[in-house]
Amino acid sequence: MGILNVTPDSFSDGGRHVAIHDAVETALQMQADGADIIDIGGESTRPYSEPVSADEERSRVIPVIDQLCGKLTIPISIDTSKGDVARAAIAAGAEIVNDVTGLEGDSTMPSVVVDHGVGVCVMHMQGSPQTMQDDPLYEDVVSEIESYLVARRQFCEACGIPRNRICLDPGIGFGKTHEHNLRLLRATRRFVALGSPLLIGHSRKGFIGKVLGDQRADRMAGTLGVSLAAAAAGANILRVHDVKPSVEALKLFEAAGGLDQRA
């Protein structure tokens, strides 16, 4: 899943794809580089980011989706927690809703997903982007998030969303310390065992700099290392900024027998 943030303030690529032409060209290049999904977001969810209105978010993402729909041959995912934005994006051609609030942020979101028959990625986040990194606490981070994801899947099914359209995401970096993130990644097989497609969104995040001992380090190599570990553990979707090196690393990892480790 290639990340396309059409925002001025996302933590890693804010401002790079604000122009519609730039965003479209980037998405087409991601497809050429081997992406299977393009995830388009119009509101930053980095720690302490400021929320934007639905109108502003729509104005950022809809023109890009409109232009991409006749050019991409892979699905578009809309990264939003607002039902109105999701509805407009689906009308423009998006096929997946990627909701960082686990469909809890907007009471209309479940009906949007049901009414349009799209897929949904349900993520765990403790708090909101404005509060999630203040002091994230868990007694058992893996068990608590596992229970949360199972409960949200049950909620989605009760709303009428078929299980085969539900993807789960433990929410790396969303209301977690660096150690929480590492514990969750080491438990990837446990989340895979829940039986739904698993998305891991680790690309360029702060825990990588922590492990490397340098928060200013280029995090691409670290991202690739986590991608390989997650793939070996059975994760289905890797949400990344750097599609080409990720695809190439996975191709060689598989050729060398690395994916044979999967349960």
Side-chain angles (χ1 to χ4, degrees):
M1 176 183 275
I3 300 169
L4 184 64
N5 289 318
V6 288
T7 58
D9 57 343
S10 290
F11 82 94
S12 183
D13 57 355
R16 294 186 184 179
H17 310 123
V18 173
I20 296 172
H21 176 268
D22 292 341
V24 169
E25 289 302 309
T26 298
L28 292 173
Q29 187 60 57
M30 286 180 178
Q31 176 176 259
D33 289 341
D36 298 297
I37 304 168
I38 303 295
D39 191 42
I40 301 176
E43 178 179 42
S44 175
T45 51
R46 63 179 173 78
Y48 308 111
S49 59
E50 291 297 322
V52 301
S53 69
D55 285 343
E56 176 65 22
E57 195 174 339
R58 275 195 301 267
S59 73
R60 293 175 180 179
V61 299
I62 300 306
V64 177
I65 297 173
D66 279 337
Q67 289 206 23
L68 283 173
C69 271
K71 300 175 181 178
L72 287 177
T73 59
I74 59 176
I76 292 172
S77 168
I78 178 65
D79 179 2
T80 187
S81 58
K82 299 182 181 71
D84 286 347
V85 175
R87 187 179 294 107
I90 293 165
E95 299 177 55
I96 302 166
V97 172
N98 184 15
D99 187 347
V100 299
T101 72
L103 274 67
E104 294 190 275
D106 184 337
S107 62
T108 70
M109 187 68 88
S111 62
V112 171
V113 174
V114 171
D115 292 347
H116 294 88
V118 295
V120 63
C121 294
V122 176
M123 196 193 80
H124 172 275
M125 172 170 56
Q126 187 178 94
S128 68
Q130 294 74 45
T131 64
M132 64 187 183
Q133 293 308 117
D134 286 346
D135 186 22
L137 295 173
Y138 302 87
E139 290 187 14
D140 183 334
V141 66
V142 174
S143 293
E144 289 174 46
I145 292 176
E146 179 183 48
S147 296
Y148 174 87
L149 293 176
V150 169
R152 295 314 292 167
R153 183 173 65 187
Q154 290 172 342
F155 169 82
C156 288
E157 290 182 292
C159 290
I161 304 171
R163 182 173 290 206
N164 64 3
R165 290 183 181 162
I166 303 169
C167 172
L168 305 178
D169 178 354
I172 302 299
F174 285 82
K176 286 90 177 175
T177 65
H178 297 316
E179 181 56 34
H180 290 149
N181 292 324
L182 293 172
R183 290 180 189 174
L184 291 169
L185 289 167
R186 289 193 290 265
T188 296
R189 291 183 190 274
R190 185 163 161 181
F191 292 112
V192 169
L194 296 177
S196 291
L198 181 70
L199 185 153
I200 298 294
H202 57 292
S203 185
R204 301 184 187 173
K205 291 189 174 173
F207 77 94
I208 295 172
K210 176 71 172 180
V211 172
L212 295 176
D214 181 2
Q215 287 292 359
R216 295 172 298 177
D218 184 334
R219 297 175 186 173
M220 187 173 72
T223 296
L224 294 177
V226 177
S227 292
L228 300 183
N236 305 92
I237 303 171
L238 302 174
R239 186 177 182 274
V240 299
H241 297 86
D242 304 292
V243 170
K244 185 176 177 63
S246 298
V247 170
E248 291 178 345
L250 286 164
K251 187 175 293 185
L252 269 296
F253 189 62
E254 181 177 23
L259 295 186
D260 293 343
Q261 305 171 43
R262 289 180 294 183

